[in-house]
Amino acid sequence: MNNLRLSLLGPVTIQQNNQTIDFHIGKIQALIAYLAVTGQPQRREHLIDLFWRESSPEAARKNLRNGLWRLRQQVDNDLLIAEGERLRLASNTWIDVFALETGLSKIAQPVPMPGPIIYHDYRNTLDLWRGPLLGGLKLSDASDFELWLGAERERLARLY
């Protein structure tokens, strides 16, 4: 069973079995967030182009391989799944972005009266917001990713 939790709202936190994993490679954190938020497997070439466009193709592939290797050294379960030339997140990983979106969609549903209003659920959902998506992370050499990140930060802030 996968006991991984990704908190991407605010600074990135990866937890496994309630233990925080000390992992601070910005581009790999960004890659994990991109896979999580898009919810789709992504081709390695697309990810290389998104994060290492300025590097030579050989150096970019090596950077991706090394970053993924370092992540796998720290995370026991399979957080990232390789399917041929595509990478995706393990489907049973808890992700705060999805929990926030799901919780807010439930809050937006009309409550039939005289049904009870469950404020505890509202508070738990709102407490997921620790700040903007990937708070504090900036990748100045990955401009396409930065554009995507800016749009996602705006979308999630409006939703919140």
Side-chain angles (χ1 to χ4, degrees):
M1 180 171 171
N2 186 341
N3 293 316
L4 286 167
R5 293 175 60 91
L6 291 178
S7 297
L8 304 173
L9 297 167
V12 174
T13 303
I14 302 172
Q15 288 186 317
Q16 184 172 34
N17 301 322
N18 295 319
Q19 298 292 325
T20 300
I21 295 171
D22 189 28
F23 188 80
H24 300 288
I25 300 174
K27 285 191 179 180
I28 300 301
Q29 288 179 339
L31 183 145
I32 291 168
Y34 185 76
L35 291 173
V37 174
T38 61
Q40 299 293 319
Q42 300 291 328
R43 294 190 59 77
R44 288 176 192 260
E45 290 302 318
H46 171 67
L47 296 170
I48 286 169
D49 190 46
L50 192 61
F51 294 105
W52 292 281
R53 178 175 282 177
E54 303 297 318
S55 300
S56 71
E58 298 81 23
R61 278 190 217 71
K62 183 178 179 184
N63 288 335
L64 176 61
R65 267 193 320 273
N66 288 343
L68 295 178
W69 180 83
R70 288 180 64 190
L71 177 65
R72 287 183 177 122
Q73 296 302 302
Q74 299 207 354
V75 179
D76 293 336
N77 292 329
D78 290 322
L79 172 62
L80 293 176
I81 308 296
E83 297 172 330
E85 280 300 307
R86 294 182 184 271
L87 291 175
R88 69 173 176 83
L89 282 183
S91 57
N92 55 352
T93 301
W94 182 90
I95 303 165
D96 64 348
V97 173
F98 289 147
L100 179 76
E101 290 173 326
T102 301
L104 290 176
S105 71
K106 288 179 183 176
I107 290 170
Q109 299 294 320
V111 176
M113 296 312 275
I117 297 175
I118 304 171
Y119 292 103
H120 177 73
D121 290 344
Y122 294 170
R123 185 80 262 148
N124 287 345
T125 295
L126 295 176
D127 284 348
L128 292 170
W129 185 268
R130 299 177 306 125
L133 181 65
L134 300 178
L137 183 71
K138 180 152 178 53
L139 302 178
S140 58
D141 61 343
S143 58
D144 287 347
F145 173 76
E146 283 289 327
L147 289 172
W148 174 85
L149 180 59
E152 283 300 310
R153 282 176 173 165
E154 273 186 43
R155 179 185 72 81
L156 291 167
R158 277 195 311 272
L159 184 63
Y160 176 71

